[in-house]
Amino acid sequence: MGDLGNGFGIGSGAGGGGGMGMDKIPATMRGRCMPGDRTRLLFEHGGTAEGDTAVVKSLDWLKDGQTADGSWGTESHGAMTGFAQLWYLGHGETPTSQRYGETVTKGLQVLVEMSKRQGGQIGELTTRHWSYEHGIAAYALGEANALLKEEGSTSPGLTEAFEKSVEIIVEGQN
């Protein structure tokens, strides 16, 4: 690791990379849906077999805790379901995954249906914490949308719910 330096200064710069366009996802997300690529990336970036085993055990635990309606938790369903989805998506699991596909599908459906019922807002609107839930759910929908585009599949209502969730965040910005 090199020296960071100290002092003050003014600078500017520009850069590019990754070749990201409207129809492409960030390079850091590419390959996660492909089992061989995911494993290769894991080890290239310092992951271990033991760590991956622990993650899979966690995914199994979450699967066992998913409610009949596809959500997680006893309250804050938007946030808890969003967090669970991020755990699966981070492992490269999508609705087409053999082991967790049904679990991911049901979780995404919960978030999409919550969005449809509430004009795009995702969370328990009767609490003052709904915006916290909304942000987590929006992040999960965005991650799912990108991964599904990468693998060439879709999930009903996903893109629309994601886009609406972002619109709500932008509209609420000060």
Side-chain angles (χ1 to χ4, degrees), residues 66-67 69-72 77-78 81-82 84-85 88 100-114 140-141 155:
Q66 189 176 32
T67 64
D69 73 358
S71 67
W72 278 269
H77 292 111
T81 302
Q85 289 297 288
Y88 285 103
Y100 301 112
E102 183 179 343
T103 303
V104 174
T105 298
K106 288 170 34 180
L108 290 176
Q109 287 173 344
V110 166
L111 298 177
V112 167
E113 289 304 314
M114 194 178 287
L141 291 173
S155 181

Side-chain angles (χ1 to χ4, degrees), residues 83-134:
F83 279 138
Q85 289 297 288
L86 287 167
W87 195 256
Y88 285 103
L89 296 165
H91 193 255
E93 307 299 338
T94 67
T96 63
S97 299
Q98 184 176 1
R99 185 169 181 172
Y100 301 112
E102 183 179 343
T103 303
V104 174
T105 298
K106 288 170 34 180
L108 290 176
Q109 287 173 344
V110 166
L111 298 177
V112 167
E113 289 304 314
M114 194 178 287
S115 171
K116 284 180 182 177
R117 277 193 319 270
Q118 300 173 160
Q121 294 172 308
I122 305 168
E124 294 177 15
L125 303 181
T126 57
T127 73
R128 62 183 181 165
H129 304 293
W130 80 264
S131 60
Y132 166 77
E133 289 187 66
H134 181 83

Side-chain angles (χ1 to χ4, degrees), residues 25 29-35 89 92-97 104 144-155:
I25 65 168
M29 292 176 72
R30 286 188 213 126
R32 279 197 282 165
C33 295
M34 305 303 290
L89 296 165
E93 307 299 338
T94 67
T96 63
S97 299
V104 174
N145 196 50
L147 289 176
L148 290 176
K149 280 184 181 179
E150 177 187 19
E151 69 179 23
S153 64
T154 60
S155 181

